[in-house]
Structure formats: C-alpha cells, structure tokens
Amino acid sequence: MRKSWIVALAALAPLYAQNIVIQNATIMTVTKGTLQGSVVIKDGKIAEVGEKVMMPQNATVIDAGGQYVIPGIIDCHSHIAVDGNVNEGSVSVSSMVNIKDVINPEDIAIYRALAGGVTTANILHGSANPIGGQTLVLKMRWGKDAQGMIFEGAMPGIKFALGENPKRSGNPQGGRGATQTAARYPATRMGVEDTIREALNEAKDYKAEWDEYGAKVARGEHPIPPRKDLKLEPLKEVLEGKRYVHAHCYREDEILMLLRVADDYGFKIRTLQHVLEGYKVAEEIAASGTGASTFSDWWAYKIEAYDAIPYNAALMQKKGIVVSLNSDDEELMRHLNTEAAKAMKYGGMNETDALAMVTINPAKQLGIDGRVGSIEAGKDADLAIYDKYPLSDYAKVQKVLIDGQLYFDRDSDVSGRPAKALEKQKLIEKEKQSQPKPAGGRRPVE
Amino acid sequence: MRKLVPALLLLCAWAIAENPRTLAIRNAKIVTVSGPVIDKGTVVVRNGLIEAVGENLAVPAGAWVIDGEGMTVYPGLIDSLSTVGIPSLAPPPAGRGGRGQTTTTPAPPPSPATAPATAAAPVTPAKGPEDRPATTSWILAANEIDPSDHRIESVRSAGFTTTVTFPARAIFGGQGSIIDLASAERAGEMVVVPAVGQYLAVSRGGGMFGGFGAGFPNALMGYIAYIRQIYLDAEHYKLLKEAYAHSPRGMERPPYDRALEGVLESKRILLPANRVVEMDRMLRFAAELQQPVILYGMREAYRPEAAPLLKKYGSPVLVSMHWSEAPRDPDPEAYRTMRSLENIDQGPAAPGLLQKAGVPFALYSDGLDQPRELQRAVKKAIDAGLARQDAIRALTLSPAEIYGVADRMGSIEAGKIANLVVTKGDLFDDHTQIEMIFVDGKQYKPAPEPPAGGGRGATEEPGVSQ
C-alpha cells in the first residue's frame, strides 16, 4: 500500500523538486500580512512572495484560485512517531534516553498530521519524570527514513515535568501512568523540585569534572578522561545553554518554582508546556523570557488542570509572552488551525496573531524561526494550502509542501483509496484461500 | 531385495557397532555445498572428521561401509540462533510468541527469549545503568549446556547437527557457543566454539524476564540508552584497567566489573530487528557502538527497502523461520493492517530476496523444535522463491561463515567435522525421510515421529500463537 503511494509520490517528485509557483492564492504570510498573489519556490526554498512575481523557467504551476496558503503548521508538543513507550518511567531522572533513538517514520499519525497542515513537530518524551528524556524536532517528511525526518540543525531539547504526573508515576496507588511495581521518589511537588535540583547539582559537578579535564588537555597533559554519563551529558548541555528545556507544568506556584530553579543554575527555561495557569503569573513568565505553549480549551482532566480558562493564550500574549498552541495528541494535531481560531473568540485575537500561535511562535520557541514559521523569501517552502479560510471549521487541507516537495495531496489521496482497498481485499481473499480447511467433526456445524 | 540389502546393512552398522572409528558412505549423492554436487560418490569419515570425499574413492580397509544407494548426503544443518542445550530456555509448549501480531509496537525478541529466566534474579528494580539490569554478559552458553536437554534429539532428528546456542534471557544475555548435538557424557565434548558473540535484546518481551525485576530500563529508548552507556563504560573501564596495569603504584584501583568484562570479551553482537525501521535503527546503533553486528529476526526483510539497506552496511543477518501466520479463525470484524497481511503473504519470500541481493544470511529456527515444523518452515521459504541449494546453504555453510567457523564445518570437505545428514529424497521435501545423522562422526537415527498432531507442544501449523 505504502509502496504504491511512494511510487506515486516519486512520480510527482520531479515535478515539484525544482521550481514551483503557487498562483492566485490568498497568502497569509503571518509576518508580512495577507495578500492575493503567488509564492515562488526554488530548490525547496521560498524565492519570492507577492502580488506580481517573476515566473521562473520550467516552473510547475499550482493554481490555488480561491484557496489559502499558510505557513506549514508547527506543533510544539507532540508524541507521535515514537517506537515503544514514550516514557522511560522507571526512574525520576531519565535524561539518558533520547527520542532520536526511537523515531518511527512509519507512524500513520505523521501522514494524518500532514493532512492537517502540520509540517514540523517537537517530539517530546512523556511527563512521568521530573527530568525526562531528550527531545527533537521532526519535519513530517512521510516516506523518508528516521534520519530523513529530523529537522536538521534544530536545537535539541529535554523534557522536564512538574506536578501530578511525575508525582504519581512513582506511586503504586497513583492511578493513570503509575508503575505497578515499586515506589519511586518523588511523591510531592517539593520532591519534584528537589529531584530537579539534585540532578542539576550532579550535572554541575560533572561539568566541572569535564572542564578540569579539558583544561589539563589544553595544558598538554594526558589525563584519563572522566566517565561519560549519558544521564548528565544532556543536563550539562542545559547548563551550557546548548539544549532547550521544555517543561510540562500547570500550577502557578510550580511555574514560579521552576523559573527560580533555572535562575539559580543560570539557564533559561525555553518553553513552559501546558501552563494552564500561566495567565496568573504572566508578568513573571514574560520577564524571564520564557515561552508558553498551551491548549486552547482543553482542561479539567485532572485536579491541576481545573483552574484553566480559554483566555489563557490571549492573556499571556498580551503580557508579551511568545505563546503557541500545541496538540499533545495525534487527533488534535490534525486541526491546530481551528485551535488557533478559538483564540479569536476567547480573547479577541486578530487572525494573524491567532495563526502565529501555530506557526511563527512555535518556530521561535524551537529556535527555528529563521527557517520556518512564515511565508517569506529565503525560508523553507513548508506550506499548507487550504480550500477555505483556514481559521474555520470548514477549511480542508488540499496540499502540503515541505522543502518544496509535495507530501500530501488530497486529490491523489482520495482517488487512490479504491485501489488500496482492492489491494488489501485481494490479500485477505488470498489468505482465506490458503487457510487449511477446518478438520471435520471437530466442531459442531450448525 | 535390492532395497533390503542396504536396509540390512544399515541395521547391522547401527546395531553391531554404533560408533566405528572409520566409516564410508558409498554410492550416494553428495551435496557438498562448497563444491559441485557429486552424483555418485563416497564420503570417508575417520575419528569424527571427514577424511575424504569424491567420486572414485577407495574405501579404507576396516571401515564400516554404508551403502548409500538412493540416498543423499548433506552437511549437517546448523541452527544459527538457538537455545537448544539450555533446557531452562525451552519455549513454553503453547502460545509461543508468534510474530504476526505486532504492528507499530516494537516486536519482542524472537522466541529464544520466550523463556522464564532462571538465573539468580535480583529482586530490587534497577534504578539506572549502574545497577546493570538484566545483564549477564559474562555468561557463556558453553558453561550451561546440559546434554540431557530433550530438544537435542528432536532438533537433531530434523537434520540439525549443530546449534549456535545463546543464553538468550536478558538485555545482555551472554555469549553464544557453537554446539554439536552429540549425545555426550560431558557437555564440554559438544562445544565446538565456546564464545561467538553477545546476545542483546531490547525488550523484556512482555514480562518474560520478570525474574530480573522491573525498573530501568522500561521503554525501548531506555534499552538503547542502557546499551549505549554500557559500551561507553566498557571503553572507560578498559582505559582505567590499562593505566592501572601499567603503573598501579599511586593509582586508585578500578573496581572489577563482570558486566563490562563480558562485553569486552565479545567479538560481535547480535541485535534484534524485525521491521525495516528496526534494521535501520540497529545497524546505525551498531555502527555507533563500533561493534560487528549480526541482526536477527528480519520479519520484514521481504520489503523492497530492506535488501539495499542491509547491503549498504554489509552486516550478516539471521532470518527467523517462525513466519508470520494468519490468525486461526480470524475475527472477520477485526481490523487487519495492510502491513500484517503483507507480512503473512510475503514474509517467507525474504530469504529468496536476500539471496538475490547478495546479503549474507542464515536461517534460524526461532523456537521451532519439531522436525516436521522445521521442514515445513524451510519449505515455505523454498516455495516463496528460495532455491533449494540456497536454502541448504543458509542452514550450513552460510551460518558457518557468519560465525567464522567455515574452516571446520558447514560443508562436506576433507578435514572438516563429520557432521552429515543422510536422506532418502531431497531435504525439506514433504515426504523425504532422514535416514541417518552423523555428529562428530557418530551415527544417530532420527527419533520416531510422534503421531500426527501429537508431540510435545506441537501445533498443526508451525508458529501459530494465541
């Protein structure tokens, strides 16, 4: 099935590999306003955007008359495309594990995300531990292998988690997500803070050890290097500002706690994830330069998610925080455009600011806004084409391009379905034929 | 009458002198594997080794002569990944892990791992890599061989004279050993090579290693991180040990670590990979660890992406013959993925495709231990496009090459170990009878076949689970 689909794509690929012009579209650039015109794509990059453009030679033309082009959607919090458990929940600090090791490029959720206009996603470890695993940013290049999915050059991250999840994960009576076997520290919010501080203390010592080693080598000595510790390596990188911290959090008190911890150890939290009570401490978050990635109107699924309001995103944004809306879920991931639209109703955001929350803002939070997140010359040609106004329930994604290549095309998807169904039916029939006949008399025949 | 004579001769050879030091099989078709097939020739065996093979050989004086008229002689089959010889690792009789069921979850390691752990099991859950969870890297299968394992006779009756037996019960299970399936007094007589590589698993296979306690690692990424840490630690350990050996005076003594010792002693690793995604992941991982690797499993090796990928890395692979099977009495309402249907339909085509692409591979039993099951499993691959001679090679010379022992086994050549299978009819055909098996030059008769549907844990179809 995939095979034939890939063949179909491969046939299309040359058409889209070089120069493409998307014409007659309403182009919502997010950073440079909205206009009627064309987008020119050369070698995977956006070459020109405007009402009138220079038509390159041998360009493939996509006529998007009456349609809308937006930057490919970026999801700052996703768990798709992961093989095995998304949580290494056995330990309180699982920084030694890395999503990069378990990318599953065959996860159908990737294709479904594409069909929802998503071109880039931040793939996170789960929230079972105060300090979780290493994270990375993927482009939804469906059909490529694991390495081909990686957003090259994007800063790697690490998951931190506060509150109920890390508390209960170690508690045998802890309900959802709890381990069956053994109690694990911490069981309180105090313990979560302590666990993070202890791990960072260890990382500081570890860093000092390596710095000392480096100094000796620089002096021309030949010392035995310290033991490389995969748990502390990524935390050392956090201290050195070489790895982003994406912190799962809900309550105002724990948000402030984490900002203080980061301050004490001299690094910045890159994003607060979920952050449903962010509106209560928006000034403090803004002052720390931390981003916030939240839900539009998803709450009350646990006690710490009760004090949430749908105005959270808008209120945080008004205080100067870079705010994004994320999915944390493979279904929600398919309609982040309408999640953004909700902020226009709750909080009165304009359409550009709303759209920014699923495009340029998450790009900024992930440090990839130089490459993606808006429709500007020089950026990657990661684009989603909708048939209708994209901040509407009625809009459907028609085509999705990543690096100027077509990765989703609604027409060929729909027209290809009967052939795929037939192929599958054939295999089922073949299997039935080859089944041994049930031995006589073994089972009463009715 | 013409039939009776060889039969009588056979009977005499077996009944009167079970183990002559010198014997010759005459007038037989000889499939040497390393060279051309000899239509009518003689194999001379002396002191457990093949002394000579050829068309017009003189039979040495005093040799026991077996008239091989109408028979074919093959090299003894080698099961390239097995637990035979370690009775505690025998798969449970029913519900052995079929491979057709998993979809996107990581596949559990193939059936060698489906045994309860019996090693002394720490009860406290591991809190991190430092606790060396599910690690018995220092174990050698050779030290655990029990000649009384009843599977030895069963597997031998299918024509297997040799197994590469692994203590397959942990993340770092220990090193495999090449075992000749002789009825030995002492296990040591069966060992051909005591250490051929470290068996690695990346799952506890749904609690199969329960005895090792839960705890770290738990997710696939945890297993990978753990294995990576062990190799980093081994490298560091080596540095410290060398420095200490060089000048112990004034240097803190590095603590002895049996887990790292076992890892450092292993000259290659075996990693599981069923899906193409897993092949890609594990080949990259082995390259990162700078370890020569053999991949095992290969359920999706039939997919067009597989052979070029495997070829690129050049690592040999072991293909499980526990083919994906259609579920019995499938629920017509149940959703079946296209992938699972393709696995069932095309899985057995993998060996033929790997052969065409020039990927070095061997077949392994993956828990099948009944002669008919094994024969049917090989036949499936042949029916799906693997040439018969290539099937034979994948169970003889290829595994010998993969483990670096082709200088002593895997084909019928002078000087090699006298492991032979003598059949009436072509090996792996439905009605072919295995007449005799020779292990280290000793002759065995196949065990009488159990009544249809009987036998220990036999199911009508091989590999059907649940």
Side-chain angles (χ1 to χ4, degrees):
Chain A
M1 202 75 92
R2 273 283 300 292
K3 218 187 327 173
S4 57
W5 196 81
I6 288 167
V7 170
L9 254 192
L12 287 169
L15 295 177
Y16 290 94
Q18 298 293 315
N19 302 336
I20 305 170
V21 178
I22 304 170
Q23 282 182 340
N24 305 321
T26 302
I27 301 161
M28 302 171 84
T29 66
V30 179
T31 47
K32 310 263 180 193
T34 296
L35 57 118
Q36 292 288 326
S38 305
V39 182
V40 180
I41 298 164
K42 280 186 186 165
D43 299 325
K45 297 275 182 191
I46 298 167
E48 197 184 350
V49 187
E51 286 168 12
K52 296 239 159 52
V53 295
M54 288 286 289
M55 280 290 284
Q57 292 214 317
N58 307 322
T60 307
V61 174
I62 299 174
D63 185 6
Q67 301 191 330
Y68 291 77
V69 185
I70 67 166
I73 289 174
I74 299 169
D75 188 349
C76 198
H77 190 128
S78 171
H79 301 292
I80 67 164
V82 171
D83 255 351
N85 201 327
V86 78
N87 274 302
E88 176 54 57
S90 60
V91 285
S92 309
V93 178
S94 66
S95 41
M96 72 291 279
V97 306
N98 195 338
I99 294 289
K100 195 175 180 178
D101 288 329
V102 291
I103 300 167
N104 176 15
E106 295 185 331
D107 185 355
I108 191 66
I110 297 166
Y111 184 69
R112 291 172 180 159
L114 268 174
V118 178
T119 53
T120 294
N122 188 28
I123 309 299
L124 300 174
H125 180 277
S127 53
N129 344 56
I131 294 182
Q134 300 164 55
T135 69
L136 87 167
V137 184
L138 297 184
K139 282 207 186 188
M140 303 291 101
R141 299 184 184 113
W142 176 249
K144 293 270 197 294
D145 65 7
Q147 301 303 307
M149 302 278 299
I150 296 171
F151 194 123
E152 46 302 295
M155 184 84 114
I158 189 165
K159 179 78 173 277
F160 280 23
L162 312 177
E164 288 181 26
N165 293 16
K167 284 195 313 155
R168 70 177 169 207
S169 292
N171 182 344
Q173 275 84 48
R176 195 175 73 122
T179 51
Q180 298 297 307
T181 43
R184 192 197 79 192
Y185 181 78
T188 64
R189 283 185 157 79
M190 296 181 282
V192 170
E193 175 178 358
D194 175 60
T195 302
I196 294 172
R197 284 185 182 271
E198 283 298 328
L200 291 170
N201 287 342
E202 269 187 77
K204 263 171 86 171
D205 292 347
Y206 179 73
K207 180 170 148 46
E209 215 182 332
W210 277 97
D211 288 348
E212 192 192 326
Y213 168 74
K216 280 185 186 165
V217 171
R219 287 198 298 269
E221 296 173 32
H222 300 284
I224 296 175
R227 170 181 181 253
K228 197 160 207 174
D229 188 325
L230 291 177
K231 183 181 90 173
L232 298 176
E233 273 297 312
L235 297 178
K236 174 171 168 275
E237 289 169 1
V238 166
L239 295 175
E240 293 167 344
K242 293 175 184 163
R243 184 176 286 277
Y244 289 158
V245 175
H246 301 290
H248 157 120
C249 58
Y250 286 87
R251 269 175 27 180
E252 53 172 329
D253 53 349
E254 67 187 11
I255 293 167
L256 295 179
M257 173 276 281
L258 187 65
L259 295 179
R260 279 194 295 267
V261 169
D263 236 22
D264 288 352
Y265 289 86
F267 68 93
K268 297 264 181 223
I269 303 294
R270 188 69 186 185
T271 67
L272 297 165
Q273 297 284 331
H274 312 321
V275 60
L276 295 191
E277 291 189 13
Y279 65 94
K280 295 184 184 176
V281 288
E283 276 173 22
E284 289 82 352
I285 297 171
S288 71
T290 303
S293 189
T294 188
F295 299 132
S296 58
D297 56 355
W298 188 18
W299 59 64
Y301 41 87
K302 53 182 165 177
I303 297 295
E304 65 186 3
Y306 269 54
D307 219 1
I309 54 172
Y311 299 90
N312 189 35
L315 287 173
M316 288 196 293
Q317 190 240 16
K318 280 193 186 112
K319 293 288 179 187
I321 302 171
V322 175
V323 181
S324 67
L325 293 174
N326 68 56
S327 75
D328 194 12
D329 176 80
E330 61 175 74
E331 190 283 323
L332 189 57
M333 194 175 184
R334 296 182 230 162
H335 48 87
L336 278 166
N337 59 319
T338 56
E339 293 303 292
K342 286 174 192 169
M344 295 166 72
K345 175 174 171 61
Y346 300 110
M349 267 193 195
N350 64 42
E351 69 176 31
T352 302
D353 286 348
L355 205 52
M357 290 200 294
V358 292
T359 53
I360 191 68
N361 289 3
K364 284 178 184 162
Q365 292 175 340
L366 297 171
I368 51 177
D369 51 317
R371 287 267 307 272
V372 293
S374 64
I375 304 180
E376 290 178 71
K379 284 201 174 181
D380 294 3
D382 293 8
L383 303 166
I385 305 177
Y386 285 83
D387 59 347
K388 296 192 176 69
Y389 180 60
L391 292 155
S392 150
D393 275 340
Y394 298 101
K396 279 190 199 143
V397 174
Q398 300 302 308
K399 285 182 170 58
V400 177
L401 289 87
I402 299 176
D403 309 320
Q405 291 201 30
L406 190 65
Y407 279 90
F408 174 75
D409 182 50
R410 184 167 299 276
D411 289 343
S412 47
D413 183 284
V414 171
S415 64
R417 285 175 201 173
K420 289 180 189 174
L422 187 69
E423 199 182 338
K424 187 167 178 179
Q425 196 51 42
K426 267 190 196 159
L427 278 183
I428 290 172
E429 289 304 321
K430 189 172 167 190
E431 188 180 291
K432 267 189 206 153
Q433 301 295 321
S434 65
Q435 287 276 330
K437 300 280 176 289
R442 205 180 268 175
R443 196 178 312 160
V445 182
E446 294 180 43
Chain B
M1 193 62 200
R2 278 194 55 196
K3 270 189 184 160
L4 199 62
V5 172
L8 271 176
L9 269 172
L10 270 175
L11 199 67
C12 292
W14 180 65
I16 301 168
E18 264 183 76
N19 294 305
R21 301 298 289 169
T22 310
L23 63 89
I25 307 168
R26 266 197 331 203
N27 297 329
K29 180 177 163 187
I30 301 163
V31 179
T32 63
V33 178
S34 53
V37 174
I38 300 166
D39 286 329
K40 214 173 182 66
T42 304
V43 184
V44 180
V45 172
R46 192 193 295 272
N47 296 336
L49 299 174
I50 298 166
E51 189 177 69
V53 56
E55 266 178 23
N56 299 307
L57 286 184
V59 173
W64 279 100
V65 177
I66 296 167
D67 190 346
E69 181 74 44
M71 301 199 211
T72 311
V73 186
Y74 298 93
L77 303 183
I78 301 170
D79 187 352
S80 53
L81 172 51
S82 169
T83 59
V84 164
I86 306 179
S88 63
L89 289 177
R96 44 178 74 150
R99 304 188 312 146
Q101 318 306 323
T102 48
T103 49
T104 55
T105 49
S111 314
T114 59
T118 52
V123 189
T124 332
K127 292 195 176 68
E130 293 74 18
D131 292 339
R132 305 288 186 245
T135 297
T136 55
S137 56
W138 59 89
I139 284 181
L140 285 187
N143 296 338
E144 302 210 344
I145 295 301
D146 178 353
S148 74
D149 185 349
H150 65 265
R151 291 181 297 162
I152 290 174
E153 190 186 8
S154 174
V155 167
R156 190 174 58 209
S157 299
F160 285 91
T161 59
T162 307
T163 56
V164 189
T165 291
F166 285 87
R169 58 164 85 90
I171 303 172
F172 285 88
Q175 287 215 65
S177 310
I178 299 182
I179 306 296
D180 263 359
L181 301 180
S183 358
E185 296 267 313
R186 279 172 287 274
E189 295 164 20
M190 299 165 67
V191 176
V192 181
V193 182
V196 295
Q198 184 73 220
Y199 175 89
L200 288 165
V202 293
S203 98
R204 289 177 216 229
M208 289 163 212
F209 300 124
F212 282 89
F216 179 87
N218 174 282
L220 174 63
M221 54 183 152
Y223 283 82
I224 293 175
Y226 174 57
I227 294 168
R228 179 178 287 130
Q229 183 71 64
I230 283 286
Y231 279 95
L232 286 172
D233 285 356
E235 208 44 50
H236 192 244
Y237 182 67
K238 209 166 99 185
L239 274 182
L240 289 177
K241 271 185 31 166
E242 281 165 7
Y244 189 72
H246 184 252
S247 57
R249 217 172 269 252
M251 182 180 166
E252 232 179 301
R253 181 180 75 247
Y256 174 78
D257 189 329
R258 61 182 179 173
L260 303 181
E261 293 284 344
V263 163
L264 287 171
E265 277 160 20
S266 307
K267 59 177 161 192
R268 60 172 76 83
I269 56 175
L270 280 84
L271 283 171
N274 273 322
R275 293 152 56 221
V276 176
V277 171
E278 292 163 350
M279 297 173 203
D280 179 41
R281 178 180 299 143
M282 289 306 172
L283 288 168
R284 283 178 174 282
F285 190 39
E288 178 200 323
L289 300 175
Q290 298 181 317
Q291 296 296 312
V293 67
I294 301 172
L295 297 186
Y296 65 88
M298 295 290 122
R299 183 177 58 222
E300 291 184 4
Y302 67 88
R303 300 192 75 77
E305 316 89 275
L309 175 70
L310 296 168
K311 199 128 203 238
K312 190 172 105 191
Y313 285 86
S315 301
V317 299
L318 309 179
V319 181
S320 163
M321 292 194 287
H322 203 143
W323 311 117
S324 298
E325 293 279 339
R328 287 190 125 188
D329 303 322
D331 175 1
E333 301 299 313
Y335 182 77
R336 315 256 320 262
T337 62
M338 187 65 187
R339 181 62 59 92
S340 70
L341 291 166
E342 286 174 333
N343 287 346
I344 295 162
D345 185 50
Q346 295 174 51
L353 294 167
L354 293 176
Q355 177 74 36
K356 268 189 204 96
V359 176
F361 75 98
L363 298 168
Y364 73 102
S365 63
D366 201 0
L368 305 178
D369 59 13
Q370 297 302 306
R372 280 292 159 201
E373 284 181 329
L374 285 159
Q375 173 239 311
R376 257 180 269 178
V378 181
K379 187 70 179 0
K380 268 197 160 181
I382 292 173
D383 290 346
L386 181 67
R388 188 182 303 271
Q389 73 265 21
D390 295 332
I392 292 162
R393 199 183 201 284
L395 287 157
T396 54
L397 194 53
S398 293
E401 285 167 355
I402 287 170
Y403 288 107
V405 291
D407 54 356
R408 68 205 75 173
M409 55 170 53
S411 62
I412 304 181
E413 284 179 77
K416 286 196 174 182
I417 294 168
N419 289 345
L420 304 167
V421 187
V422 182
T423 64
K424 255 192 197 141
D426 287 339
L427 202 51
F428 313 126
D429 264 355
D430 289 341
H431 301 293
T432 292
Q433 285 297 323
I434 291 176
E435 298 289 329
M436 291 169 259
I437 304 114
F438 294 89
V439 183
D440 286 322
K442 285 187 205 166
Q443 185 190 334
Y444 298 87
K445 302 290 281 181
E449 254 187 273
R456 190 197 57 83
T459 51
E460 280 193 334
E461 290 302 307
V464 171
S465 70
Q466 286 140 29

